[in-house]
Amino acid sequence: SKQYKKGLLGELILIQQQIQQHEEEARRAAGHFNSGSSQQKRKVSDKDKIDQLQQELLQTQLKYQRMLERLEKENKELRKVVLEKDDKGIHHRKVKKSLIDMYSEVLDILSDYDSSYNTQDHLPRVVVVGDQSAGKTSVLEMIAQARIFPRGSGEMMTRAPVKVTLSEGPHHVGIFKDSSREFDLTKEADLAALRHEIEIRMRKSVKEGQTVSSETISLSVKGPGLQRMVLVDLPGVISTVTSGMAADTKETIFNISRAYMQNPNAIILCIQDGSVDAERSIVTDLVSQMDPQGKRTIFVLTKVDLAEKNLASPSRIQQIIEGRLFPMKALGYFAVVTGKGNVNESIESIKDYEEDFFQNSRLLKTGMLKAHQATTKNLSLAVSDCFWKMVRESVEQQADAFKATRFNLETEWKNNFPRLRELDRHELFEKAKNEILDEVISLSQVTPKHWEESLKKKLWERVSTHVIENIYLPAAQTANSGTFNTTVDIKLKQWTDKQLPNKAVEVAWETLQEEFSRFMTEQKGKDHDDIFDKLKEAVKEESIKRHNWNALAEDSLRVIQHNALEDRSISDKQQWDAAIQFMEETLNTRLNDTLSVIRDMVGPDWKERWMYWLNRTSEQHTRNETKNELEKLLKINEDHTAYLANDEVTTVRKNLEARGVDVDPILIKDTWHQIYRRHFLRTAVDHCNLCRRGFYYYQRHFVDSELECNDVVLFWRIQRMLAITANTLRQQLINTEVRRLEKNVKEVLEDFAESSEKKLQLLTGKRVQLAEDLKKVREIQEKLEAFIAALHQEK
């Protein structure tokens, strides 16, 4: 043995030999003590010898443990130096992902793909379960060597599964899966920020009306000396739902725990509080149901310091550790101490306290607890070994299962969509985005002529009723041309000041929306893909919702419209004829509308009644008789005013009563309004024909002429205002509003691109889901194969 005495390795081998020698002497002494009980004196001396040998054995074991820790510490420092050199790129080689990072990445993709956590996912991970406040989170923190979880006094803090991937690295840091921020776990401020972020994520994942969530929060922790593995911390199992909790909280936690534990390759880390009565445990029954043979369960007894202090019979702890007290079975049993109950304790101080406790504990001194069963350090090593053993045994089988799934999905795609590319939701969105942007650009290619014609037509449809009813008809009732022009000027100014600019902007905005909608919804023949219809409609609606017309447009438009309407100078015969045509078309349209109203009032005429067997109602009969009577009145006086005098109403009523028709004065006035309107419009249309030769008299200001065509001038002013307004709005559209709308569309698309929920909501159907599944399964299979290759290389 002299050859091993030099160096630390030699010391370790010598200590191992001493441990074996002490154990053999202790066994012989114990046997000799039991057989030679006849002499009391010899009993005492043998018992002293046994105690002495056991004390020497314990001291040697502790010395061995300390030397191992010293070796490990030196190894950790050396690895840190090497990792830091690689991290700084001193070796100028490409840094590959670690094995555990590759494996964790697969689990993250699986979590997204298989949110229901069904039987497809049988990849190993360490599932940490325990009763509420049993100390499972503290155990996890000791393994991670950082206080990373939110803390509370007796209340439920773990409200959602937290997946923690542990791996080695030069610096002790924590990183969320969906974030680039690194939390420095050696700084208290960063630790507090990390705990706060975990708490926020948990609360966000919990739906309204619920207490816990099944959504997984994914976190990576790197640091020197950490054991590589993936752990999932689950919400603590509860026996009673307390106030403030959802009614189904207990059942939900059970379902989440079962879902994770039913994975046949999951390692169950069962945490039991040693400071409470074992009979109060709920989780042990649950674990024994999921793993009755204990082939993948590791049992951990926490708060052993309190248990040893409070229990009258220490042998009860021995019964638990040996697996004789609970009905459940386990691969291994461990006892740990994770603090003295002070939430502000550091990991280092807890480790020192745990080591001091077990050095002086009766449990180790009396042999009730083996040295390898104590401390979170030994637990961490054992769990990591079990994890990697399970990974090596099952990962290739899982890769084959995903390979088969991929083949089935590819076959289904070929059968259903043989001529289409397999585009997932993101790729489809990008394709739709390009199409939408092309369609928006098409707006800038609309010709000025098309814009102006659309604007002019739509604006006249919007304002024509006001022009006829509120400007033209009231002015036409005046006695002479001077009063007509004055009335028109006043009403046009009021209209321009209060309503016209706003109406024009509304029309322009509606026209832009219609053109935008036309390009967005227009089908491109056989190349049209209806899978984008819902997305395009949502983009269109959101872009329109965000668009606001330039607020200064109305003010500039008002000045232009004022100037246009004040001009009465018709420069040539062509403009005059155009105004007459515009006026005639407008009046004929109104006349046809009036004739239609009268037709509905009086019912079918004799031809319709005779040919189509139609009949009048009693009201239509009354109105028809009233119409005939009023037409006689109008025939007698063709220059009658627009309103009936009271004595005229009475005369008409009496005439009708004489023929046996009982009629109300209001009905007479309503009927007169339409009859007079028809008479006026017919007269105005005839007047248009007379004014066709009136341009010569207009140039002479109708001097020495009985012909007055001021109404033609009014319609020319309106027509010119429409043309100028349409031209101005067209310029605003092309120069400003189309570009602003295009910018809105781009912003909406960017917002939608960042929202997975929007894509999920707007791109739906079997084709999308099948492509999504194919992408995920391929990615999982490829990453699993890469992981397996790296795993074989490490062997």
PDB file of all heavy atoms in Angstrom, residues 138-164:
ATOM      1  N   SER A 138     -37.742  23.552  -1.662  1.00  0.00           N
ATOM      2  CA  SER A 138     -36.442  23.755  -1.004  1.00  0.00           C
ATOM      3  C   SER A 138     -35.437  22.701  -1.444  1.00  0.00           C
ATOM      4  O   SER A 138     -34.247  22.990  -1.643  1.00  0.00           O
ATOM      5  CB  SER A 138     -36.616  23.711   0.518  1.00  0.00           C
ATOM      6  OG  SER A 138     -37.460  24.759   0.947  1.00  0.00           O
ATOM      7  N   VAL A 139     -35.904  21.447  -1.599  1.00  0.00           N
ATOM      8  CA  VAL A 139     -35.019  20.390  -2.088  1.00  0.00           C
ATOM      9  C   VAL A 139     -34.515  20.739  -3.489  1.00  0.00           C
ATOM     10  O   VAL A 139     -33.323  20.604  -3.802  1.00  0.00           O
ATOM     11  CB  VAL A 139     -35.765  19.030  -2.108  1.00  0.00           C
ATOM     12  CG1 VAL A 139     -34.930  17.979  -2.844  1.00  0.00           C
ATOM     13  CG2 VAL A 139     -36.066  18.566  -0.701  1.00  0.00           C
ATOM     14  N   LEU A 140     -35.423  21.209  -4.317  1.00  0.00           N
ATOM     15  CA  LEU A 140     -35.063  21.581  -5.683  1.00  0.00           C
ATOM     16  C   LEU A 140     -34.039  22.721  -5.680  1.00  0.00           C
ATOM     17  O   LEU A 140     -33.101  22.740  -6.489  1.00  0.00           O
ATOM     18  CB  LEU A 140     -36.319  22.003  -6.448  1.00  0.00           C
ATOM     19  CG  LEU A 140     -36.301  21.882  -7.966  1.00  0.00           C
ATOM     20  CD1 LEU A 140     -36.012  20.454  -8.387  1.00  0.00           C
ATOM     21  CD2 LEU A 140     -37.625  22.321  -8.551  1.00  0.00           C
ATOM     22  N   GLU A 141     -34.223  23.679  -4.780  1.00  0.00           N
ATOM     23  CA  GLU A 141     -33.282  24.804  -4.694  1.00  0.00           C
ATOM     24  C   GLU A 141     -31.898  24.338  -4.239  1.00  0.00           C
ATOM     25  O   GLU A 141     -30.886  24.844  -4.719  1.00  0.00           O
ATOM     26  CB  GLU A 141     -33.832  25.858  -3.733  1.00  0.00           C
ATOM     27  CG  GLU A 141     -34.997  26.642  -4.298  1.00  0.00           C
ATOM     28  CD  GLU A 141     -35.505  27.713  -3.358  1.00  0.00           C
ATOM     29  OE1 GLU A 141     -35.365  27.548  -2.129  1.00  0.00           O
ATOM     30  OE2 GLU A 141     -36.020  28.732  -3.842  1.00  0.00           O
ATOM     31  N   MET A 142     -31.870  23.359  -3.323  1.00  0.00           N
ATOM     32  CA  MET A 142     -30.571  22.842  -2.882  1.00  0.00           C
ATOM     33  C   MET A 142     -29.866  22.119  -4.032  1.00  0.00           C
ATOM     34  O   MET A 142     -28.651  22.222  -4.192  1.00  0.00           O
ATOM     35  CB  MET A 142     -30.781  21.875  -1.708  1.00  0.00           C
ATOM     36  CG  MET A 142     -31.219  22.563  -0.423  1.00  0.00           C
ATOM     37  SD  MET A 142     -29.942  23.641   0.265  1.00  0.00           S
ATOM     38  CE  MET A 142     -28.768  22.434   0.868  1.00  0.00           C
ATOM     39  N   ILE A 143     -30.635  21.392  -4.842  1.00  0.00           N
ATOM     40  CA  ILE A 143     -30.037  20.707  -5.995  1.00  0.00           C
ATOM     41  C   ILE A 143     -29.536  21.733  -7.010  1.00  0.00           C
ATOM     42  O   ILE A 143     -28.471  21.573  -7.608  1.00  0.00           O
ATOM     43  CB  ILE A 143     -31.069  19.751  -6.640  1.00  0.00           C
ATOM     44  CG1 ILE A 143     -31.403  18.605  -5.663  1.00  0.00           C
ATOM     45  CG2 ILE A 143     -30.542  19.187  -7.950  1.00  0.00           C
ATOM     46  CD1 ILE A 143     -32.536  17.710  -6.128  1.00  0.00           C
ATOM     47  N   ALA A 144     -30.317  22.814  -7.206  1.00  0.00           N
ATOM     48  CA  ALA A 144     -29.926  23.880  -8.149  1.00  0.00           C
ATOM     49  C   ALA A 144     -28.918  24.846  -7.546  1.00  0.00           C
ATOM     50  O   ALA A 144     -28.377  25.703  -8.244  1.00  0.00           O
ATOM     51  CB  ALA A 144     -31.162  24.657  -8.597  1.00  0.00           C
ATOM     52  N   GLN A 145     -28.708  24.752  -6.227  1.00  0.00           N
ATOM     53  CA  GLN A 145     -27.751  25.589  -5.485  1.00  0.00           C
ATOM     54  C   GLN A 145     -28.079  27.082  -5.576  1.00  0.00           C
ATOM     55  O   GLN A 145     -27.199  27.940  -5.642  1.00  0.00           O
ATOM     56  CB  GLN A 145     -26.322  25.324  -5.973  1.00  0.00           C
ATOM     57  CG  GLN A 145     -25.853  23.903  -5.721  1.00  0.00           C
ATOM     58  CD  GLN A 145     -24.428  23.657  -6.153  1.00  0.00           C
ATOM     59  OE1 GLN A 145     -23.625  24.586  -6.212  1.00  0.00           O
ATOM     60  NE2 GLN A 145     -24.100  22.405  -6.451  1.00  0.00           N
ATOM     61  N   ALA A 146     -29.384  27.385  -5.622  1.00  0.00           N
ATOM     62  CA  ALA A 146     -29.817  28.799  -5.654  1.00  0.00           C
ATOM     63  C   ALA A 146     -31.272  28.867  -5.207  1.00  0.00           C
ATOM     64  O   ALA A 146     -32.082  27.991  -5.536  1.00  0.00           O
ATOM     65  CB  ALA A 146     -29.670  29.380  -7.057  1.00  0.00           C
ATOM     66  N   ARG A 147     -31.624  29.952  -4.495  1.00  0.00           N
ATOM     67  CA  ARG A 147     -32.992  30.126  -4.010  1.00  0.00           C
ATOM     68  C   ARG A 147     -33.808  30.830  -5.094  1.00  0.00           C
ATOM     69  O   ARG A 147     -33.987  32.040  -5.087  1.00  0.00           O
ATOM     70  CB  ARG A 147     -32.986  30.902  -2.702  1.00  0.00           C
ATOM     71  CG  ARG A 147     -32.012  30.338  -1.695  1.00  0.00           C
ATOM     72  CD  ARG A 147     -32.436  30.520  -0.277  1.00  0.00           C
ATOM     73  NE  ARG A 147     -33.530  29.647   0.083  1.00  0.00           N
ATOM     74  CZ  ARG A 147     -33.951  29.442   1.337  1.00  0.00           C
ATOM     75  NH1 ARG A 147     -33.344  30.044   2.340  1.00  0.00           N
ATOM     76  NH2 ARG A 147     -34.960  28.653   1.591  1.00  0.00           N
ATOM     77  N   ILE A 148     -34.309  30.021  -6.027  1.00  0.00           N
ATOM     78  CA  ILE A 148     -34.890  30.573  -7.248  1.00  0.00           C
ATOM     79  C   ILE A 148     -36.408  30.640  -7.236  1.00  0.00           C
ATOM     80  O   ILE A 148     -37.007  31.228  -8.134  1.00  0.00           O
ATOM     81  CB  ILE A 148     -34.431  29.749  -8.480  1.00  0.00           C
ATOM     82  CG1 ILE A 148     -34.804  28.277  -8.295  1.00  0.00           C
ATOM     83  CG2 ILE A 148     -32.949  29.917  -8.716  1.00  0.00           C
ATOM     84  CD1 ILE A 148     -34.454  27.398  -9.485  1.00  0.00           C
ATOM     85  N   PHE A 149     -37.061  30.049  -6.246  1.00  0.00           N
ATOM     86  CA  PHE A 149     -38.522  29.977  -6.272  1.00  0.00           C
ATOM     87  C   PHE A 149     -39.163  30.977  -5.305  1.00  0.00           C
ATOM     88  O   PHE A 149     -38.593  31.284  -4.250  1.00  0.00           O
ATOM     89  CB  PHE A 149     -38.986  28.562  -5.927  1.00  0.00           C
ATOM     90  CG  PHE A 149     -38.702  27.566  -7.005  1.00  0.00           C
ATOM     91  CD1 PHE A 149     -37.640  26.681  -6.892  1.00  0.00           C
ATOM     92  CD2 PHE A 149     -39.472  27.524  -8.154  1.00  0.00           C
ATOM     93  CE1 PHE A 149     -37.366  25.770  -7.895  1.00  0.00           C
ATOM     94  CE2 PHE A 149     -39.207  26.619  -9.165  1.00  0.00           C
ATOM     95  CZ  PHE A 149     -38.147  25.747  -9.036  1.00  0.00           C
ATOM     96  N   PRO A 150     -40.372  31.464  -5.647  1.00  0.00           N
ATOM     97  CA  PRO A 150     -41.100  32.367  -4.735  1.00  0.00           C
ATOM     98  C   PRO A 150     -41.343  31.678  -3.400  1.00  0.00           C
ATOM     99  O   PRO A 150     -41.547  30.465  -3.338  1.00  0.00           O
ATOM    100  CB  PRO A 150     -42.432  32.610  -5.463  1.00  0.00           C
ATOM    101  CG  PRO A 150     -42.174  32.277  -6.890  1.00  0.00           C
ATOM    102  CD  PRO A 150     -41.127  31.220  -6.891  1.00  0.00           C
ATOM    103  N   ARG A 151     -41.328  32.476  -2.351  1.00  0.00           N
ATOM    104  CA  ARG A 151     -41.460  31.904  -1.018  1.00  0.00           C
ATOM    105  C   ARG A 151     -42.718  32.437  -0.343  1.00  0.00           C
ATOM    106  O   ARG A 151     -43.164  33.537  -0.585  1.00  0.00           O
ATOM    107  CB  ARG A 151     -40.236  32.251  -0.175  1.00  0.00           C
ATOM    108  CG  ARG A 151     -38.936  32.214  -0.966  1.00  0.00           C
ATOM    109  CD  ARG A 151     -37.757  31.928  -0.097  1.00  0.00           C
ATOM    110  NE  ARG A 151     -37.789  30.614   0.488  1.00  0.00           N
ATOM    111  CZ  ARG A 151     -37.493  29.492  -0.173  1.00  0.00           C
ATOM    112  NH1 ARG A 151     -37.168  29.550  -1.445  1.00  0.00           N
ATOM    113  NH2 ARG A 151     -37.538  28.329   0.423  1.00  0.00           N
ATOM    114  N   GLY A 152     -43.299  31.626   0.522  1.00  0.00           N
ATOM    115  CA  GLY A 152     -44.488  32.040   1.269  1.00  0.00           C
ATOM    116  C   GLY A 152     -44.568  31.287   2.567  1.00  0.00           C
ATOM    117  O   GLY A 152     -43.927  30.256   2.763  1.00  0.00           O
ATOM    118  N   SER A 153     -45.387  31.778   3.450  1.00  0.00           N
ATOM    119  CA  SER A 153     -45.532  31.156   4.763  1.00  0.00           C
ATOM    120  C   SER A 153     -46.805  30.325   4.788  1.00  0.00           C
ATOM    121  O   SER A 153     -47.889  30.832   5.066  1.00  0.00           O
ATOM    122  CB  SER A 153     -45.571  32.234   5.848  1.00  0.00           C
ATOM    123  OG  SER A 153     -45.725  31.637   7.117  1.00  0.00           O
ATOM    124  N   GLY A 154     -46.683  29.024   4.443  1.00  0.00           N
ATOM    125  CA  GLY A 154     -47.831  28.134   4.528  1.00  0.00           C
ATOM    126  C   GLY A 154     -48.786  28.207   3.346  1.00  0.00           C
ATOM    127  O   GLY A 154     -49.627  27.341   3.182  1.00  0.00           O
ATOM    128  N   GLU A 155     -48.683  29.259   2.516  1.00  0.00           N
ATOM    129  CA  GLU A 155     -49.612  29.392   1.391  1.00  0.00           C
ATOM    130  C   GLU A 155     -49.062  28.681   0.158  1.00  0.00           C
ATOM    131  O   GLU A 155     -47.879  28.364   0.074  1.00  0.00           O
ATOM    132  CB  GLU A 155     -49.845  30.865   1.078  1.00  0.00           C
ATOM    133  CG  GLU A 155     -48.602  31.615   0.653  1.00  0.00           C
ATOM    134  CD  GLU A 155     -48.899  33.052   0.287  1.00  0.00           C
ATOM    135  OE1 GLU A 155     -49.839  33.274  -0.480  1.00  0.00           O
ATOM    136  OE2 GLU A 155     -48.178  33.940   0.778  1.00  0.00           O
ATOM    137  N   MET A 156     -49.969  28.404  -0.793  1.00  0.00           N
ATOM    138  CA  MET A 156     -49.553  27.735  -2.026  1.00  0.00           C
ATOM    139  C   MET A 156     -48.750  28.702  -2.884  1.00  0.00           C
ATOM    140  O   MET A 156     -49.244  29.742  -3.274  1.00  0.00           O
ATOM    141  CB  MET A 156     -50.780  27.247  -2.788  1.00  0.00           C
ATOM    142  CG  MET A 156     -50.425  26.528  -4.075  1.00  0.00           C
ATOM    143  SD  MET A 156     -51.879  26.043  -5.015  1.00  0.00           S
ATOM    144  CE  MET A 156     -52.513  24.751  -3.958  1.00  0.00           C
ATOM    145  N   MET A 157     -47.491  28.332  -3.156  1.00  0.00           N
ATOM    146  CA  MET A 157     -46.642  29.201  -3.958  1.00  0.00           C
ATOM    147  C   MET A 157     -46.438  28.643  -5.371  1.00  0.00           C
ATOM    148  O   MET A 157     -46.349  29.379  -6.329  1.00  0.00           O
ATOM    149  CB  MET A 157     -45.275  29.390  -3.281  1.00  0.00           C
ATOM    150  CG  MET A 157     -45.361  30.112  -1.946  1.00  0.00           C
ATOM    151  SD  MET A 157     -46.238  31.687  -2.027  1.00  0.00           S
ATOM    152  CE  MET A 157     -45.195  32.627  -3.105  1.00  0.00           C
ATOM    153  N   THR A 158     -46.331  27.300  -5.494  1.00  0.00           N
ATOM    154  CA  THR A 158     -46.174  26.697  -6.814  1.00  0.00           C
ATOM    155  C   THR A 158     -47.557  26.502  -7.418  1.00  0.00           C
ATOM    156  O   THR A 158     -48.287  25.586  -7.035  1.00  0.00           O
ATOM    157  CB  THR A 158     -45.435  25.344  -6.711  1.00  0.00           C
ATOM    158  OG1 THR A 158     -44.198  25.545  -6.018  1.00  0.00           O
ATOM    159  CG2 THR A 158     -45.137  24.786  -8.092  1.00  0.00           C
ATOM    160  N   ARG A 159     -47.923  27.374  -8.361  1.00  0.00           N
ATOM    161  CA  ARG A 159     -49.261  27.342  -8.962  1.00  0.00           C
ATOM    162  C   ARG A 159     -49.251  26.761 -10.371  1.00  0.00           C
ATOM    163  O   ARG A 159     -50.289  26.666 -11.013  1.00  0.00           O
ATOM    164  CB  ARG A 159     -49.858  28.756  -8.988  1.00  0.00           C
ATOM    165  CG  ARG A 159     -50.092  29.316  -7.603  1.00  0.00           C
ATOM    166  CD  ARG A 159     -50.614  30.727  -7.642  1.00  0.00           C
ATOM    167  NE  ARG A 159     -50.875  31.229  -6.298  1.00  0.00           N
ATOM    168  CZ  ARG A 159     -52.031  31.101  -5.670  1.00  0.00           C
ATOM    169  NH1 ARG A 159     -53.032  30.494  -6.266  1.00  0.00           N
ATOM    170  NH2 ARG A 159     -52.201  31.569  -4.447  1.00  0.00           N
ATOM    171  N   ALA A 160     -48.075  26.414 -10.870  1.00  0.00           N
ATOM    172  CA  ALA A 160     -47.958  25.835 -12.211  1.00  0.00           C
ATOM    173  C   ALA A 160     -46.688  24.995 -12.256  1.00  0.00           C
ATOM    174  O   ALA A 160     -45.737  25.254 -11.498  1.00  0.00           O
ATOM    175  CB  ALA A 160     -47.903  26.936 -13.274  1.00  0.00           C
ATOM    176  N   PRO A 161     -46.638  23.965 -13.104  1.00  0.00           N
ATOM    177  CA  PRO A 161     -45.407  23.182 -13.228  1.00  0.00           C
ATOM    178  C   PRO A 161     -44.241  24.052 -13.693  1.00  0.00           C
ATOM    179  O   PRO A 161     -44.399  24.864 -14.600  1.00  0.00           O
ATOM    180  CB  PRO A 161     -45.765  22.132 -14.296  1.00  0.00           C
ATOM    181  CG  PRO A 161     -47.251  22.070 -14.312  1.00  0.00           C
ATOM    182  CD  PRO A 161     -47.725  23.449 -13.966  1.00  0.00           C
ATOM    183  N   VAL A 162     -43.105  23.878 -13.039  1.00  0.00           N
ATOM    184  CA  VAL A 162     -41.893  24.619 -13.420  1.00  0.00           C
ATOM    185  C   VAL A 162     -40.832  23.597 -13.827  1.00  0.00           C
ATOM    186  O   VAL A 162     -40.386  22.800 -13.011  1.00  0.00           O
ATOM    187  CB  VAL A 162     -41.372  25.507 -12.272  1.00  0.00           C
ATOM    188  CG1 VAL A 162     -40.139  26.274 -12.732  1.00  0.00           C
ATOM    189  CG2 VAL A 162     -42.447  26.454 -11.790  1.00  0.00           C
ATOM    190  N   LYS A 163     -40.463  23.617 -15.110  1.00  0.00           N
ATOM    191  CA  LYS A 163     -39.420  22.713 -15.607  1.00  0.00           C
ATOM    192  C   LYS A 163     -38.068  23.398 -15.448  1.00  0.00           C
ATOM    193  O   LYS A 163     -37.842  24.476 -15.997  1.00  0.00           O
ATOM    194  CB  LYS A 163     -39.664  22.364 -17.073  1.00  0.00           C
ATOM    195  CG  LYS A 163     -38.608  21.408 -17.641  1.00  0.00           C
ATOM    196  CD  LYS A 163     -38.951  20.967 -19.047  1.00  0.00           C
ATOM    197  CE  LYS A 163     -38.582  21.995 -20.078  1.00  0.00           C
ATOM    198  NZ  LYS A 163     -37.127  22.151 -20.264  1.00  0.00           N
ATOM    199  N   VAL A 164     -37.185  22.767 -14.684  1.00  0.00           N
ATOM    200  CA  VAL A 164     -35.856  23.331 -14.435  1.00  0.00           C
ATOM    201  C   VAL A 164     -34.820  22.399 -15.063  1.00  0.00           C
ATOM    202  O   VAL A 164     -34.740  21.223 -14.703  1.00  0.00           O
ATOM    203  CB  VAL A 164     -35.584  23.494 -12.932  1.00  0.00           C
ATOM    204  CG1 VAL A 164     -34.219  24.133 -12.707  1.00  0.00           C
ATOM    205  CG2 VAL A 164     -36.671  24.331 -12.278  1.00  0.00           C
TER     206      VAL A 164
END
